[in-house]
Amino acid sequence: MLEPAGRVAMVSGASRGIGRAVADRLSRAGYRISAGLRDPRAAPDGWYACRYDAEKSGSEEAWTAATLDQFGRIDVLVNAAGINPMARFLDPDETAFDALMAVNVKAPMRVIRAAWPHLVASGSGRIVNIASLSGKRVRNDNAGYAIAKAALISLTQAVRREGWEHGIRATAFCPGFVETDMTAHVTKQPREMMSRPEDVAAVIETLVRLPNTASVAELLLNCRHEDML
Ligand SMILES: NC(=O)c1ccc[n+]([C@@H]2O[C@H](COP(=O)([O-])OP(=O)(O)OC[C@H]3O[C@@H](n4cnc5c(N)ncnc54)[C@H](OP(=O)(O)O)[C@@H]3O)[C@@H](O)[C@H]2O)c1
């Protein structure tokens, strides 16, 4: 397993939910955290926090440059920022669809691109893209969310291919319901029967600490039984 000491982890969406739990876990494990946040004041003491808005092109460059200025290296990137407005495919208004593709697909791609040379320089760069079981099958009307998460899984595969010889290992992490603000409206599954962000974070810590010889392409994590998932 890779030792966290000295390693730098960029985490988007670290203001709350899964990203917050991941940054908290990695920080306690000894990683130096660079949190990318729309409001950097949302970060607790001890994290380096930088303004990052997934809807603003160029924001990823500023976050990456600031992280390098602060720490001089980047070893881990966890793309956790995400949204899930309803986007039915029969709806002619594509506003929500476009927002889903911008925040859940293009933004992680841009952060990866910005951080790439530094992840290469690390020799053991790690990327975790928080996709979803919704990227593996469609169980509700939000086709836009499912399409975006499937695209994020494909992006992860592209990253694995390009990054392999440089020691970069990437994982598409695909949870089902996790008890966060994003699932506050969900009635299909009692909240106490949803996965906990802390448990998601524990798995992600293991993923980013695995050596180059133990690569996990996709990890599916469910809080209920579904055939095959
Ligand atoms: N919860 C689930 O059941 C579940 C299941 C599968 C996958 N996921 C995925 O896991 C990831 C985290 O979800 P969550 O459950 O933790 O959701 P959440 O509690 O709603 O948190 C969403 C996070 O994304 C950030 N974010 C949203 N839009 C942003 C933007 N334009 N720029 C920068 N940050 C932005 C939010 O920041 P602000 O505080 O500034 O709004 C917040 O930190 C998402 O990609 C989601 O799709 C969640």
Side-chain angles (χ1 to χ4, degrees):
M1 298 288 271
L2 298 171
E3 282 305 319
R7 282 171 71 82
V8 174
M10 293 174 67
V11 184
S12 74
S15 60
R16 52 202 171 92
I18 293 172
R20 177 62 168 241
V22 169
D24 193 43
R25 173 100 194 183
L26 295 184
S27 174
R28 281 188 281 112
Y31 289 85
R32 292 180 288 171
I33 301 298
S34 173
L37 305 165
R38 283 194 283 201
D39 179 1
R41 291 169 303 179
D45 290 345
W47 300 2
Y48 178 68
C50 188
R51 192 173 302 284
Y52 166 66
D53 187 334
E55 289 190 283
K56 291 195 179 131
S57 174
S59 190
E60 70 289 341
E61 295 284 355
W63 178 26
T64 305
T67 304
L68 273 182
D69 276 355
Q70 179 71 15
F71 296 121
R73 59 185 294 156
I74 298 169
D75 304 281
V76 174
L77 168 61
V78 180
N79 282 307
I83 55 172
N84 75 337
M86 178 56 72
R88 294 180 173 86
F89 73 92
L90 289 175
D91 188 345
D93 180 350
E94 295 177 354
T95 309
F97 186 90
D98 290 346
L100 281 161
M101 294 305 286
V103 173
N104 293 2
V105 185
K106 286 189 81 172
M109 182 173 72
R110 286 179 175 145
V111 186
I112 291 168
R113 199 157 58 218
W116 191 261
H118 315 293
L119 292 165
V120 169
S122 165
S124 51
R126 296 288 178 268
I127 298 172
V128 179
N129 291 323
I130 311 294
S132 172
L133 289 182
S134 294
K136 305 298 296 178
R137 47 52 173 156
V138 177
R139 281 185 64 131
N140 60 47
D141 293 343
N142 198 344
Y145 184 75
I147 291 166
K149 291 301 186 181
L152 186 60
I153 293 169
S154 290
L155 170 65
T156 311
Q157 290 170 2
V159 165
R160 293 182 74 244
R161 184 173 171 278
E162 240 6 82
W164 189 268
E165 66 185 275
H166 304 294
I168 293 176
R169 302 291 179 261
T171 305
F173 189 90
C174 303
F177 290 126
V178 183
E179 191 197 355
T180 67
D181 295 344
M182 192 173 276
T183 50
H185 64 286
V186 170
T187 52
K188 287 181 197 167
Q189 180 82 351
R191 285 190 78 65
E192 67 276 13
M193 299 299 285
M194 293 182 182
S195 302
R196 304 269 314 145
E198 295 77 8
D199 296 326
V200 169
V203 178
I204 290 175
E205 184 197 339
T206 300
L207 287 174
V208 301
R209 292 187 60 178
L210 287 170
N212 287 6
T213 46
S215 171
V216 179
E218 265 183 33
L219 199 149
L220 313 187
L221 181 129
N222 211 336
C223 58
R224 58 186 178 175
H225 175 259
E226 295 180 53
D227 290 349
M228 309 299 288
L229 297 182

